[in-house]
């Protein structure tokens, strides 16, 4: 029971942390041409997609065997598997956050401003099945003369 609590408490802490929260926003540059918008988005998406966190060198960690002599081999394997899962989840979150930062900087350099948007509206656009219609909705937000929402500053 104690080992279950030792695992459940950190998971609950990570899941409820503010770092797990996501901002919902759109980019706007009044009067931008559709072709220019698509080129800018594709360029920034490609740039952000190439970003990855550098993994630490784990050879030194692998040379030391951390073992609790009170655990059976199966329990040790389960603990190592759970630890690996948590490390993988945290690394993926860190990569996403870094990619969002690169995207925001890239589009800001191209003259776009970032505005808050409602989570429900964001999900509605992203759940649109037809890709052309989804692009049209994002373009309408990106090229609007008077964007609705509060401007988010970098």
């Amino acid at each position: 029971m104690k080992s279950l609590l030792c695992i459940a408490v950190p998971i609950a802490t990570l899941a409820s942390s503010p770092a797990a929260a996501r901002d919902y926003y759109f980019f706007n540059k009044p009067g931008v041409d559709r072709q220019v918008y698509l080129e800018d988005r594709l360029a920034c998406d490609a740039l952000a997609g190439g970003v990855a966190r550098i993994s630490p060198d784990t050879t030194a960690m692998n040379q030391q065997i951390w073992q609790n002599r009170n655990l059976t081999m199966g329990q040790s394997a389960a603990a190592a598997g759970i630890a690996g899962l948590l490390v993988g989840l945290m690394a993926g979150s860190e990569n996403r956050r870094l990619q969002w930062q690169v995207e925001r900087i890239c589009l800001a350099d191209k003259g776009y401003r970032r505005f808050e948007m409602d989570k429900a509206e964001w999900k509605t656009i992203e759940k649109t099945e037809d890709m052309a219609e989804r692009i049209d909705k994002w373009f309408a937000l990106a090229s609007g003369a008077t964007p609705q929402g509060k401007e988010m500053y970098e």
Side-chain angles (χ1 to χ4, degrees), residues 23-82:
D23 292 329
Y24 294 92
Y25 53 86
F26 66 95
F27 295 97
N28 178 273
K29 184 177 181 181
V32 68
D33 181 57
R34 184 183 180 92
Q35 187 62 33
V36 172
Y37 170 70
L38 288 174
E39 289 172 3
D40 290 345
R41 280 305 303 210
L42 289 174
C44 291
D45 286 348
L47 186 62
V51 174
R53 181 182 64 85
I54 298 173
S55 298
D57 183 18
T58 58
T59 55
M61 290 187 281
N62 290 338
Q63 291 173 354
Q64 298 176 349
I65 299 175
W66 299 96
Q67 184 176 355
N68 183 341
R69 303 232 183 258
N70 296 328
L71 298 178
T72 65
M73 186 182 298
Q75 291 170 331
S76 292
I82 291 169

Side-chain angles (χ1 to χ4, degrees), residues 9-147:
V9 171
I11 290 174
T13 303
L14 286 173
S16 64
S17 70
R22 185 199 193 300
D23 292 329
Y24 294 92
Y25 53 86
F26 66 95
F27 295 97
N28 178 273
K29 184 177 181 181
V32 68
D33 181 57
R34 184 183 180 92
Q35 187 62 33
V36 172
Y37 170 70
L38 288 174
E39 289 172 3
D40 290 345
R41 280 305 303 210
L42 289 174
C44 291
D45 286 348
L47 186 62
V51 174
R53 181 182 64 85
I54 298 173
S55 298
D57 183 18
T58 58
T59 55
M61 290 187 281
N62 290 338
Q63 291 173 354
Q64 298 176 349
I65 299 175
W66 299 96
Q67 184 176 355
N68 183 341
R69 303 232 183 258
N70 296 328
L71 298 178
T72 65
M73 186 182 298
Q75 291 170 331
S76 292
I82 291 169
L85 173 70
L86 291 175
V87 167
L89 289 173
M90 288 186 284
S93 174
E94 187 176 331
N95 280 345
R96 261 189 315 282
R97 216 174 352 270
L98 184 59
Q99 288 171 345
W100 289 335
Q101 288 173 348
V102 169
E103 174 196 46
R104 291 193 318 254
I105 291 169
C106 178
L107 286 168
D109 287 346
K110 293 180 182 291
Y112 292 86
R113 297 182 346 223
R114 189 167 62 119
F115 292 89
E116 289 180 353
M117 80 183 298
D118 184 44
K119 179 180 178 179
E121 183 182 357
W122 188 89
K123 285 188 173 189
T124 301
I125 293 173
E126 284 300 308
K127 288 183 180 180
T128 304
E129 295 290 327
D130 184 21
M131 184 62 78
E133 185 179 341
R134 186 183 316 167
I135 292 171
D136 289 341
K137 289 179 180 181
W138 283 119
F139 178 69
L141 288 172
S143 63
T146 55

